[in-house]
Amino acid sequence: MRPVDLTVNGVRYELELEPRDLLVHVLREQLSLTGTNVGCDTSSCGACTVLLDGQSVKSCTILGVQADGTTITTIEGLATNGELHPVQQAFHDHHALQCGYCTPGMVLAAVSLIENGEARDRAAIRAGLEGNLCRCTGYHNIIEAIADVTGSTS
């Protein structure tokens, strides 16, 4: 076991982790943050996407001990005082979800794209989301939701 210090959704945690524990499992099983989904176990789908020090990462590709000293945001940490984050609200307004399984990872990937200035237009949004898969929506409403937040018209 190794000591790990994480800040997740604004709360500091001191944990003892096995070196082999994946971050996705630490979040789900030890911290009960089940909005981070395990989708494919091969890092292909993006359902496990979280923000690690502000950058979107697939939490199934990171060991919990590698996250020592970092700040993590999961889908549970986006809303403020009961009010949805603008990207969450846009997904709701544009019905950018169906089954919802990919939605937490898709929303966090979108937040990262927007905050890093990479959601310049619809083509950039599509390219930025290529690591997140959705089997239900066909992506149109997802792209429209993100474009709505950024004010993109092209």
Side-chain angles (χ1 to χ4, degrees):
M1 299 292 270
R2 292 202 22 214
V4 175
D5 186 15
L6 305 170
T7 300
V8 182
N9 300 331
V11 178
R12 185 169 175 241
Y13 295 92
E14 293 178 1
L15 305 171
E16 290 286 327
L17 301 179
E18 291 284 343
R20 67 177 178 259
D21 291 341
L22 293 173
L23 181 58
V24 67
H25 296 300
V26 171
L27 295 171
R28 290 182 59 81
E29 297 163 13
Q30 293 195 28
L31 303 183
S32 299
L33 297 170
T34 57
T36 303
N37 292 318
V38 177
C40 64
D41 285 331
T42 62
S43 77
S44 298
C45 74
C48 66
T49 300
V50 298
L51 301 181
L52 181 77
D53 290 336
Q55 300 299 311
S56 66
V57 298
K58 294 177 182 178
S59 61
C60 73
T61 65
I62 296 177
L63 297 170
V65 295
Q66 290 176 296
D68 188 25
T70 65
T71 299
I72 298 166
T73 304
T74 69
I75 195 71
E76 293 92 342
L78 279 184
T80 305
N81 297 323
E83 194 157 322
L84 294 176
H85 183 280
V87 174
Q88 290 173 306
Q89 187 63 53
F91 269 60
H92 172 76
D93 293 345
H94 289 272
H95 194 67
L97 54 102
Q98 285 185 16
C99 82
Y101 200 80
C102 72
T103 305
M106 199 71 76
V107 166
L108 287 160
V111 167
S112 180
L113 285 174
I114 292 166
E115 289 180 356
N116 291 319
E118 299 171 17
R120 299 172 303 281
D121 54 33
R122 284 171 175 77
I125 293 167
R126 280 187 198 90
L129 293 178
E130 68 183 12
N132 292 73
L133 302 177
C134 176
R135 293 182 175 161
C136 301
T137 68
Y139 300 96
H140 178 77
N141 291 356
I142 292 169
I143 304 303
E144 292 304 308
I146 299 166
D148 185 36
V149 173
T150 63
S152 177
T153 58
S154 59

